[in-house]
Every structure is written in structure tokens, then in C-alpha cells.
């Protein structure tokens, strides 16, 4: 039996914004199972459930936390077993959820490309087509660098409900030049999947050294203020 989803709905308007007038965003911030094929299946079942709930609230995009398919704290062996191609089965399920529910889906996942692995985000449009596949360029700490290669492309900009949207991945949300690039290219909102709430146990058994409260309380709001845009931070809170 699935755990219930706790819904917090905050909106100044009853109706969702019209095309070009705004964007109603759903953030899923749950802590799912980690590090197995069964965990991936359960997490994708939850994605389908949450996407339908978000659509029922007239949301136009739903954003999931960093490395949502597998869970964040996986070791190199689990990464190699569970990472998927950019057109893999988890992406297919997310594309179906997007199309069935008529909303965009932002799905973070470990990506396999030949012998290389990336901490990636697939941005799927409401018609079920992949609008962007982004590989994290700023890897955080030794654990991420053991698992993944650095992405080489600047963060993507996509259009959702007529609004220009930029995408950053977790640690990248702390770097002003990335916001500058997105703002200069017309971004009005940045979607930032992340897996950083407080101290947590990494795949090697050690605890993370730096809690993220300072980032979420200070750095992220400062970036929004400096670059005059909105930031939707989808945090793995549990």
C-alpha cells in the first residue's frame, strides 16, 4: 500500500494562469526507496500518482527531486546497474504521465551514455515529448564525482505554458553566473530539482558534512532577488 501524499496548495488565484501569463508549479518533495530496481519501479509508480494529483490542481508542470528514479544516495555499483539511457523505460513512463495528464514533467535520473554516467534531468513537455535532457555540470563532493562525469552544456531553457523556464540541478542553484546566463536568455522562473535538506547519510555510510539550510534560507532567495526571477526548488525532504 502506497503512503499517502500530503498536499499543500498555495495560490493567489483560483484558476491556473493562461498561456503567457504565468505558471502553476507542483513540487514533489518525498523521500522514496533507494538503490534497487524495485525502488525505481516504486518511485515511478509514485510519479504517475503525483502527476495525476498535480493535474487535478491544474498545475502545468510537476518537478521531482534530484535523481528521483533511484534515490540520491547510491554507490557506483548501484549507479551502473540502475542508470538508464535518455530514452529508457523511466523516461517512457514519465512521457506517458505527462501526455495522459496534460502537464510537463521534470524528471531527474542517473543517465547512462555508453561507458559514461551523468546526473541528469529530463524535461518532458505536456504532449509527452522530451524538450531537454540536461547533464549536471557542477558535481557536488566526492560521492557524485565517483559516480558521474561532468556535463558539458549550459543549462537549458524551455517554454512551458508560454513562460520561459530555466533548469538547474541542486548544487548548481548556488552559482550566480548560471542564473545570469538564464536571466539574460529570458528565463522568468528556474526549476531546481535537488536532494539537500539537512545532514543525511551518503552511500558510503558517512554523513554529509554541510547542511543545506543556509542554501535554502539565504543563497536561493538571494539569487531570486538579484536576478529578478522565481526559483522553484524541489527538495528531497522526506
Amino acid at each position: 500500500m502506497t503512503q499517502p501524499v500530503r498536499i499543500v496548495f498555495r495560490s493567489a488565484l483560483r484558476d491556473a494562469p493562461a498561456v503567457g501569463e504565468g505558471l502553476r508549479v507542483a513540487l514533489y518533495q518525498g523521500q522514496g526507496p533507494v538503490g534497487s530496481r524495485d525502488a525505481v519501479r516504486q518511485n515511478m509508480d509514485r510519479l504517475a500518482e503525483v502527476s495525476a494529483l498535480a493535474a487535478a490542481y491544474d498545475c502545468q508542470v510537476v518537478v521531482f527531486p534530484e535523481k528521483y528514479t533511484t534515490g540520491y544516495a547510491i554507490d557506483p555499483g548501484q549507479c551502473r546497474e540502475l542508470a538508464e539511457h535518455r530514452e529508457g523505460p523511466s523516461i517512457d513512463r514519465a512521457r506517458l504521465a505527462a501526455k495522459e495528464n496534460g502537464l510537463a514533467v521534470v524528471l531527474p535520473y542517473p543517465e547512462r551514455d555508453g561507458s559514461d554516467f551523468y546526473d541528469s534531468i529530463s524535461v518532458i513537455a505536456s504532449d509527452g515529448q522530451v524538450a531537454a535532457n540536461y547533464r549536471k555540470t557542477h558535481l557536488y563532493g566526492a560521492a557524485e564525482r565517483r559516480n558521474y562525469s561532468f556535463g558539458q552544456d549550459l543549462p537549458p531553457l524551455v517554454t512551458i505554458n508560454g513562460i520561459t523556464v530555466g533548469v538547474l540541478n541542486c548544487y548548481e542553484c548556488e552559482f550566480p553566473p548560471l542564473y545570469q546566463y538564464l536571466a539574460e536568455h529570458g528565463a522568468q522562473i528556474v526549476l531546481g530539482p535537488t536532494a539537500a535538506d539537512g545532514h543525511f547519510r551518503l552511500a558510503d555510510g558517512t554523513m554529509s558534512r554541510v547542511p543545506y539550510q543556509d542554501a535554502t534560507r539565504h543563497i536561493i532567495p538571494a539569487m531570486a532577488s538579484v536576478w529578478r526571477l522565481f526559483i522553484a526548488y524541489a527538495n528531497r525532504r522526506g
Side-chain angles (χ1 to χ4, degrees), residues 163-207:
I163 299 297
T164 303
V165 175
V167 178
L168 295 175
N169 191 341
C170 194
Y171 187 40
E172 296 177 333
C173 291
E174 299 179 37
F175 289 85
L178 296 177
Y179 290 98
Q180 180 178 4
Y181 168 79
L182 292 173
E184 288 177 349
H185 286 78
Q188 295 167 270
I189 180 171
V190 172
L191 304 180
T194 185
D197 47 303
H199 289 290
F200 60 94
R201 193 167 299 283
L202 298 168
D204 63 4
T206 61
M207 296 300 290

Side-chain angles (χ1 to χ4, degrees), residues 201-232:
R201 193 167 299 283
L202 298 168
D204 63 4
T206 61
M207 296 300 290
S208 58
R209 293 169 59 187
V210 182
Y212 264 73
Q213 283 87 343
D214 284 348
T216 54
R217 293 175 185 168
H218 304 294
I219 298 173
I220 306 303
M223 293 300 97
S225 177
V226 167
W227 301 109
R228 308 303 296 166
L229 42 71
F230 294 93
I231 302 171

Side-chain angles (χ1 to χ4, degrees), residues 6-86:
R6 177 174 177 264
I7 298 171
V8 177
F9 180 70
R10 298 189 180 120
S11 178
L13 302 174
R14 180 180 180 85
D15 297 324
V19 174
E21 293 186 359
L23 187 63
R24 181 168 287 181
V25 181
L27 305 177
Y28 180 70
Q29 305 195 107
Q31 166 75 306
V34 177
S36 68
R37 294 191 183 278
D38 189 57
V40 174
R41 180 189 60 76
Q42 290 183 57
N43 289 331
M44 293 309 296
D45 287 346
R46 176 67 93 177
L47 178 141
E49 179 185 6
V50 168
S51 298
L53 283 170
Y57 281 83
D58 295 326
C59 294
Q60 293 147 333
V61 60
V62 57
V63 188
F64 292 85
E66 184 182 14
K67 288 197 292 186
Y68 174 76
T69 58
T70 61
Y72 178 79
I74 57 174
D75 61 33
Q78 291 168 322
C79 177
R80 277 143 187 77
E81 178 189 0
L82 301 174
E84 299 182 25
H85 188 265
R86 63 192 298 170

